[in-house]
């Protein structure tokens, strides 16, 4: 199936992206990356936009953007799932994680005291951890400055957080019982975070899930 996917879809993208896919050491990583881009094409078609890979550029922090469009998007993948979120209004970040068995306490340094207490107060500690982890990763991706924003440097309370002059709304997206997924929307318009809200009807999320 992987070879057929490459044959059918890879030539729809620029030579730079084709080379990126072909350089992956694991075919699973190559496939998830490609499926994320396929979701982007399908999502744009659904809202009447035409995908042009040659208009896709990257910031110095490696966040992709279209040079001649206000359309914002973000892609994430984990396990057997790829997801893509699209918005024509907000900077956007999405993160999906397969909930593997982990030693939760190993990640304490990435959480604030408030967040760590919320995780430990839950009966299902692993599920609570992945909720906060995807929350924070989605915010980082929406912010768009990569590892320059440490996870512990901001605190999410009731799905909201402010970072410098930007406000974020964060929400869990339920896709599958074995996965956690969070979406973050960023706005620079509101100094008062309580005035920030969004119309979910403007949000377009697509996913692909393959059972092994």
């Amino acid at each position: 199936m992987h070879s057929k996917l490459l044959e059918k879809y890879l030539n729809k993208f620029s030579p730079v992206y084709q080379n990126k896919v072909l350089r992956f050491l694991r075919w699973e990583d190559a496939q998830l990356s490609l499926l994320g881009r396929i979701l982007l094409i399908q999502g744009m078609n659904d809202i009447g936009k035409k995908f042009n890979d040659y208009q896709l550029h990257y910031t110095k922090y490696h966040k992709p953007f279209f040079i001649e469009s206000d359309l914002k998007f973000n892609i994430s993948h984990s396990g057997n799932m790829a997801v893509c979120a699209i918005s024509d209004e907000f900077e956007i970040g999405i993160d999906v994680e397969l909930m593997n068995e982990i030693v939760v306490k190993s990640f304490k340094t990435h959480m604030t005291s408030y967040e760590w207490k919320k995780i430990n107060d839950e009966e299902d500690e692993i599920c609570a951890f992945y909720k906060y982890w995807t929350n924070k990763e989605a915010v980082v991706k929406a912010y768009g400055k990569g590892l320059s924003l440490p996870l512990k440097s901001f605190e999410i309370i009731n799905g909201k957080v402010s970072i410098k002059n930007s406000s974020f709304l964060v929400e869990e997206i339920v896709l599958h019982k074995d996965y956690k997924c969070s979406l973050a929307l960023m706005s620079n318009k509101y100094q008062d975070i309580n005035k920030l809200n969004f119309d979910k009807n403007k949000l377009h999320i697509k996913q692909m899930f393959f059972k092994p």
Side-chain angles (χ1 to χ4, degrees):
M1 183 176 182
H2 181 62
S3 297
K4 291 181 178 178
L5 278 172
L6 293 180
E7 183 179 343
K8 183 175 181 179
Y9 290 106
L10 194 57
N11 63 6
K12 296 180 181 293
F13 301 99
S14 68
V16 172
Y17 181 72
Q18 291 182 40
N19 288 333
K20 177 183 176 181
V21 169
L22 295 174
R23 284 199 306 269
F24 279 109
L25 297 178
R26 298 174 67 249
W27 70 265
E28 294 92 340
D29 296 329
Q31 186 173 112
L32 285 169
S33 177
L34 180 58
L35 292 175
R37 286 294 180 94
I38 294 170
L39 286 176
L40 177 59
I41 292 177
Q42 292 180 350
M44 291 180 68
N45 287 339
D46 289 348
I47 58 176
K49 302 285 186 178
K50 185 175 178 59
F51 175 80
N52 185 339
D53 195 30
Y54 291 90
Q55 302 237 338
L56 194 59
H57 287 236
Y58 294 83
T59 69
K60 66 178 182 179
Y61 298 101
H62 309 293
K63 183 175 182 179
F65 68 96
F66 290 109
I67 58 174
E68 294 185 7
S69 174
D70 292 331
L71 195 70
K72 314 295 193 302
F73 73 93
N74 199 230
I75 295 169
S76 181
H77 44 75
S78 178
N80 298 309
M81 184 178 291
V83 295
C84 177
I86 299 171
S87 172
D88 60 0
E89 185 173 358
F90 295 101
E91 288 291 346
I92 195 166
I94 193 165
D95 188 63
V96 63
E97 297 287 345
L98 174 63
M99 291 191 289
N100 293 307
E101 289 291 329
I102 57 169
V103 180
V104 173
K105 65 181 181 181
S106 301
F107 296 87
K108 182 178 180 180
T109 56
H110 297 291
M111 302 291 168
T112 67
S113 297
Y114 167 84
E115 292 165 342
W116 190 245
K117 184 178 185 304
K118 294 288 285 185
I119 290 170
N120 284 295
D121 285 348
E122 292 291 331
E123 183 176 344
D124 189 337
E125 189 180 56
I126 289 181
C127 187
F129 164 77
Y130 275 107
K131 177 182 176 180
Y132 264 105
W133 184 265
T134 58
N135 275 188
K136 292 171 86 73
E137 286 284 350
V139 168
V140 169
K141 294 177 76 175
Y143 192 59
K145 295 186 179 179
L147 296 177
S148 67
L149 180 66
L151 293 180
K152 197 173 183 177
S153 67
F154 60 94
E155 185 169 80
I156 300 171
I157 300 178
N158 297 325
K160 294 182 178 181
V161 61
S162 294
I163 301 172
K164 295 185 178 180
N165 295 321
S166 299
S167 299
F168 299 79
L169 288 180
V170 190
E171 185 159 332
E172 181 179 355
I173 306 296
V174 179
L175 300 176
H176 189 276
K177 64 181 179 64
D178 294 333
Y179 291 77
K180 279 292 181 183
C181 181
S182 293
L183 177 78
L185 302 180
M186 183 183 86
S187 175
N188 297 318
K189 296 179 181 178
Y190 304 98
Q191 297 296 325
D192 182 357
I193 194 171
N194 293 315
K195 294 181 179 179
L196 175 62
N197 53 47
F198 67 94
D199 181 357
K200 289 185 181 179
N201 292 325
K202 290 186 176 181
L203 189 66
H204 192 83
I205 299 177
K206 295 188 76 69
Q207 70 178 115
M208 282 186 178
F209 176 66
F210 291 88
K211 291 185 178 181

